[in-house]
């Protein structure tokens, strides 16, 4: 019966379904719960069945990143100004990572240059180049922006509350840090993200000539 079920499930199983199940499993239980055996059980098939759709666990991890990044892709790059496009992409990527906090370390540890992700990168580079940025600079902008967003998401995923931690310091020893943290408030993360994003975009624009 088990073999029959594995064959039947394999016939209807797809790479997309495997990746979606892996992301759901990690969302629910964290990265330590992910194994080919556990994922197979989640899908009702033998672990070996999964290798018809992902050749190894490394490919599975890359595919999971692909799934998450795909959630952040705006419908069309180039439909607005380059600043608006980059802002929309940054916010969409942040939202996607916030929805999958257990998977954020994956984006810090591997490039996941799958065809789908490469098409996204190509679209961003094309949009920036058509907006007047030299090709090498488009990569600088792309990596600066994504590194910033992933870093912010990693801080949130790790429950790093900088303002809260600083506010609890000894005010006699660190008066300015404590006052600054208290003034920022407990929910300053979103405002801080927007401030840093604006600074990045303004820096990109200044180098391009202010447009």
């Amino acid at each position: 019966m088990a073999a029959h079920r594995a064959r039947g499930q394999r016939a209807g199983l797809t790479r997309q379904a495997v990746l979606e199940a892996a992301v759901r499993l990690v969302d629910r239980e964290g990265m330590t719960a992910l194994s080919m055996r556990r994922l197979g059980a989640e899908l009702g098939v033998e672990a070996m069945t999964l290798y018809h759709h992902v050749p190894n666990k490394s490919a599975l991890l890359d595919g999971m990143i692909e799934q998450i990044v795909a959630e952040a892709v705006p419908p069309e790059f180039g439909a607005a100004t380059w600043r608006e496009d980059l802002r929309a992409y940054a916010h969409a990527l942040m939202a996607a990572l916030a929805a999958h906090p257990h998977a954020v370390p994956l984006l810090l540890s591997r490039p996941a240059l799958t065809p789908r992700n490469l098409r996204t990168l190509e679209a961003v580079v094309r949009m920036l180049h058509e907006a007047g940025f030299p090709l090498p600079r488009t990569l600088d902008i792309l990596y600066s922006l994504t590194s910033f967003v992933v870093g912010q998401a990693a801080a949130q995923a790790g429950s790093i509350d900088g303002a809260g931690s600083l506010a609890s310091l000894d005010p006699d020893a660190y008066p300015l840090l404590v006052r600054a943290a208290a003034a920022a408030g407990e929910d300053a993360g979103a405002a801080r993200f927007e401030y840093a994003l604006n600074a990045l975009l303004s820096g990109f624009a200044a180098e391009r000539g202010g447009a």
Side-chain angles (χ1 to χ4, degrees), residues 15-16 18-20 22-24 26-27 31 34 54 57-73 89 92-93 96-97 100 102-118 120-121 146 150:
R15 176 179 181 271
Q16 182 72 16
V18 170
L19 298 180
E20 289 175 356
V23 171
R24 286 195 304 270
V26 169
D27 284 346
M31 284 299 302
L34 182 65
V54 286
K57 189 172 181 181
S58 181
L60 174 67
L61 297 178
D62 286 347
M64 291 172 62
I65 296 176
E66 176 186 289
Q67 284 293 112
I68 295 167
V69 171
E71 295 180 20
V73 180
Y89 182 55
L93 182 57
L97 297 179
H100 306 286
H102 291 305
V104 171
L106 278 179
L107 280 84
L108 293 170
S109 64
R110 50 196 312 119
L113 298 180
T114 65
R116 189 175 183 180
N117 282 356
L118 288 172
T120 297
L121 300 183
T146 54
V150 173

Side-chain angles (χ1 to χ4, degrees), residues 33 37-39 44 48 56 96 98 105 154:
R37 182 183 297 275
R38 179 64 191 281
L39 183 57
M48 289 302 296
N56 48 51

Side-chain angles (χ1 to χ4, degrees), residues 95-180:
L97 297 179
H100 306 286
H102 291 305
V104 171
L106 278 179
L107 280 84
L108 293 170
S109 64
R110 50 196 312 119
L113 298 180
T114 65
R116 189 175 183 180
N117 282 356
L118 288 172
R119 286 194 295 271
T120 297
L121 300 183
E122 179 77 8
V124 176
V125 166
R126 180 183 298 109
M127 177 272 292
L128 290 170
H129 189 47
E130 290 177 351
F133 288 95
L135 270 177
R137 189 62 71 218
T138 65
L139 288 181
D140 294 337
I141 292 171
L142 176 61
Y143 283 115
S144 296
L145 185 72
T146 54
S147 296
F148 160 67
V149 175
V150 173
Q152 290 289 307
Q156 289 189 13
S159 300
I160 298 174
D161 182 0
S165 299
L166 293 176
S168 65
L169 292 173
D170 180 356
D172 292 327
Y174 311 101
L176 295 181
L177 285 175
V178 172
R179 284 168 53 195

Side-chain angles (χ1 to χ4, degrees), residues 8 14 27 42 48 60-61 78 87 103 128 144 187-188 198 200-201:
T14 64
D27 284 346
E42 191 84 1
M48 289 302 296
L60 174 67
L61 297 178
R87 182 183 300 281
L128 290 170
S144 296
D187 300 318
N198 285 334
L200 272 178
L201 296 177

Side-chain angles (χ1 to χ4, degrees), residues 75-91:
E76 182 181 0
F77 288 114
T81 67
W82 67 268
R83 289 185 67 149
E84 291 169 337
D85 279 343
L86 285 185
R87 182 183 300 281
Y89 182 55
H91 278 284

Side-chain angles (χ1 to χ4, degrees), residues 192-209:
R192 191 170 294 119
F193 175 81
E194 198 65 32
Y195 172 80
L197 177 59
N198 285 334
L200 272 178
L201 296 177
S202 295
F204 300 152
E207 181 174 340
R208 184 176 175 273

